[in-house]
């Protein structure tokens, strides 16, 4: 059987890199939210415990390598009988670390998935999508909650309330524990499927937006950052299937410790990538002038327009106040290709520059007295979605 080999140095590198990387990414996420004066939402808060658990996973890998267990081949048994009844100290440490690692991984991946789903709701659950998309995301949140709690409880009671049986020896594992190979495969396959569903979830709402194809692709690209997580999840699923199928095959020579180390390596990679993928859309504002918040405003604006049955080309009407100006009776104002800077009278955040080309106003009505009259105009501003 061919399984991707992993050596202790690679495990040390992975365990040492992810905690600081995740810390920086999480810090930047909260920094961006603060600079935008935005209230922290549930998708932001879920990232905090996920970071603690991802860090715990990395630390457990480093401890395992330090104890010369994780990343190393299973030592040869002193006799054929000993191979069936007892494990070495190295196998004992590897199984202890694997048990704790799996518990942290289940919760960490569940929190990351929930953070992404609540992020989707914050963006898309407005206007016309507040019904269908909201129901779909609520269903996915329910599935993820059941998935997380179900595997967590199952893993705690893996050996019928006697968790030490998992690492004492192969004999005790066989006697007290459920089929761990089946459990690993069920977890890996379901994890991969939920990742795929979550990756595809925002595509339909984005395609329904009334915006240019280029902007749709850019927005989809932001959400597709999670594809790397799906790739790592798929790789781990294949490794689990190959390892468990060979383990129970007559004459198999599967190295149990190395197989466990390889599965933890890819699980760590998936968890780190998933954590960063959940934060990167928020960090998009650090690298683009018109960052993600601009796109989010467009999404919400267009969703609101769509919900009211408006067309994409419908202009937005914004009232602007101008100063008083004197006009002769019956006069006509004409501006040819002039540009005026207008400040919203409703307390907007910025001034808009509107180009007026050949705008001709109707003559003002006759007034009985000479003098100055105040004029209030309403201009139409059309945003072109590029």
């Amino acid at each position: 059987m061919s399984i991707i080999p992993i050596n202790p140095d690679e495990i040390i590198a992975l365990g040492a890199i992810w905690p600081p990387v995740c810390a920086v990414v999480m810090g930047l996420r909260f920094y961006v939210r603060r600079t935008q004066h935005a209230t922290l939402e549930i998708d932001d808060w879920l990232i905090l415990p996920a970071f603690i658990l991802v860090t715990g996973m990395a630390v457990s890998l480093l401890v395992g390598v330090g104890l010369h267990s994780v990343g190393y081949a299973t030592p040869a048994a002193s006799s054929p009988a000993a191979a069936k009844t007892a494990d070495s100290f190295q196998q004992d440490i590897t199984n202890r670390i694997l048990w704790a690692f799996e518990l942290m991984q289940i919760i960490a991946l569940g929190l990351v998935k929930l953070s992404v789903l609540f992020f989707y709701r914050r963006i898309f659950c407005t206007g016309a999508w507040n019904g269908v998309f909201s129901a779909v995301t609520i269903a996915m949140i329910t599935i993820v909650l059941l998935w997380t709690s179900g595997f967590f409880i199952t893993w705690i009671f893996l050996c019928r309330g006697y968790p030490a049986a998992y690492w004492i020896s192969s004999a005790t594992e066989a006697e007290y524990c459920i089929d761990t190979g089946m459990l690993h495969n069920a977890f890996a396959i379901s994890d991969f499927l939920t990742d795929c569903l979550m990756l595809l979830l925002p595509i339909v709402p984005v395609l329904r937006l009334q915006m240019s194809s280029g902007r749709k692709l850019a927005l989809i690209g932001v959400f597709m950052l999670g594809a790397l997580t799906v790739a790592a999840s798929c790789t781990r699923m294949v490794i689990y299937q190959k390892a468990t199928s060979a383990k129970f095959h007559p004459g198999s020579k599967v190295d149990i410790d190395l197989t466990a180390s390889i599965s933890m390596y890819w699980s760590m990679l998936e968890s780190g990538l998933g954590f960063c993928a959940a934060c990167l859309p928020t960090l998009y504002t650090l690298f683009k002038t018109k960052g993600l918040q601009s796109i989010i405003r467009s999404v919400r604006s267009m969703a609101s327009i769509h919900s009211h049955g408006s067309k994409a080309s419908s202009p937005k009407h914004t009232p602007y106040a101008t100063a008083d100006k004197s006009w002769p009776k019956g006069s006509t104002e004409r501006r040819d290709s002039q540009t005026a800077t207008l400040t919203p009278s409703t307390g907007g955040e910025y001034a808009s520059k509107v180009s007026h080309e050949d705008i001709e106003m109707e003559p003002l009505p006759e007034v009985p007295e000479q003098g100055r009259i105040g004029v209030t105009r309403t201009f139409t501003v059309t945003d072109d979605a590029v």
Side-chain angles (χ1 to χ4, degrees):
M1 181 195 65
S2 175
I3 295 182
I4 303 173
I6 300 295
N7 59 56
D9 292 337
E10 292 173 327
I11 295 177
I12 291 175
L14 189 72
I17 287 175
W18 276 123
V21 169
C22 291
V24 170
V25 170
M26 182 182 66
L28 290 175
R29 175 183 184 135
F30 285 100
Y31 168 76
V32 169
R33 298 285 284 163
R34 181 179 179 182
T35 57
Q36 294 167 345
H37 304 288
T39 303
L40 295 179
E41 303 288 347
I42 187 171
D43 57 297
D44 301 308
W45 291 116
L46 288 172
I47 285 296
L48 286 172
F51 169 73
I52 296 173
L53 292 168
V54 170
T55 302
M57 292 167 61
V59 170
S60 66
L61 289 181
L62 296 176
V63 171
V65 175
L67 293 174
H68 206 80
S69 60
V70 177
Y72 294 90
T74 305
S78 57
S79 67
K84 296 180 180 180
T85 59
D87 293 338
S88 65
F89 172 78
Q90 176 181 325
Q91 290 174 283
D92 178 83
I93 295 299
T94 301
N95 287 335
R96 286 175 183 265
I97 291 176
L98 177 62
W99 187 80
F101 184 93
E102 292 285 358
L103 286 177
M104 290 186 287
Q105 176 191 218
I106 292 169
I107 301 297
L109 291 178
L111 290 172
V112 169
K113 294 177 194 289
L114 289 173
S115 177
V116 173
L117 289 171
F118 279 106
F119 177 74
Y120 288 165
R121 288 182 59 80
R122 180 156 60 87
I123 297 176
F124 292 111
C125 287
T126 57
W129 301 312
N130 198 31
V132 176
F133 193 81
S134 178
V136 172
T137 51
I138 289 176
M140 282 297 301
I141 289 171
T142 304
I143 291 173
V144 171
L145 285 172
L146 293 175
W147 177 85
T148 305
S149 58
F151 277 105
F152 182 78
I153 294 173
T154 302
W155 197 257
I156 288 179
F157 297 100
L158 178 67
C159 299
R160 305 170 190 173
Y162 182 37
Y166 184 68
W167 58 75
I168 289 177
S169 69
S170 299
T172 57
E173 179 184 349
E175 180 181 356
Y176 292 97
C177 303
I178 65 175
D179 188 345
T180 56
M182 179 186 66
L183 181 62
H184 278 108
N185 280 326
F187 176 77
I189 293 172
S190 58
D191 177 47
F192 172 73
L193 292 177
T194 53
D195 284 345
C196 289
L197 289 175
M198 291 175 56
L199 191 67
L200 299 175
L201 200 57
I203 293 180
V204 173
V206 171
L207 292 179
R208 292 180 59 185
L209 292 176
Q210 301 294 338
M211 59 171 58
S212 65
S213 299
R215 198 166 187 183
K216 287 181 181 179
L217 291 176
L219 186 55
I220 291 176
V222 172
F223 294 116
M224 290 299 106
L225 294 171
L228 293 176
T229 306
V230 175
S233 175
C234 180
T235 303
R236 186 190 57 179
M237 178 182 65
V238 173
I239 290 174
Y240 275 170
Q241 289 180 331
K242 286 186 176 182
T244 54
S245 63
K247 179 179 179 180
F248 302 104
H249 189 275
S252 171
K253 295 182 179 180
V254 174
D255 190 308
I256 303 301
D257 281 11
L258 278 181
T259 301
S261 300
I262 293 170
S263 68
M264 285 190 284
Y265 177 91
W266 285 98
S267 297
M268 183 73 247
L269 185 63
E270 178 195 357
S271 300
L273 288 173
F275 184 93
C276 292
C279 295
L280 285 179
T282 304
L283 306 188
Y284 196 68
T285 53
L286 297 176
F287 309 103
K288 294 292 182 181
T289 303
K290 292 184 179 181
L292 182 64
Q293 293 303 316
S294 174
I295 297 177
I296 292 175
R297 285 194 296 268
S298 298
V299 170
R300 288 178 171 173
S301 176
M302 292 180 182
S304 178
I305 292 174
H306 184 77
S307 66
H308 288 86
S310 301
K311 297 182 179 179
S313 59
S314 298
K316 296 188 299 184
H317 297 279
T318 306
Y320 292 90
T322 59
D324 293 343
K325 188 172 182 179
S326 299
W327 302 97
K329 292 187 297 182
S331 64
T332 299
E333 180 194 14
R334 181 182 182 87
R335 292 189 177 185
D336 297 326
S337 301
Q338 296 183 16
T339 300
T341 300
L342 307 174
T343 303
S345 61
T346 56
E349 297 178 356
Y350 56 89
S352 299
K353 290 186 177 181
V354 184
S355 178
H356 305 274
E357 297 186 1
D358 295 332
I359 299 178
E360 185 170 353
M361 301 179 64
E362 296 295 329
L364 297 175
E366 296 286 344
V367 293
E369 300 178 357
Q370 296 288 341
R372 298 163 61 88
I373 60 175
V375 179
T376 300
R377 305 185 185 90
T378 298
F379 293 93
T380 297
V381 183
T382 302
D383 289 338
D384 184 18
V386 180

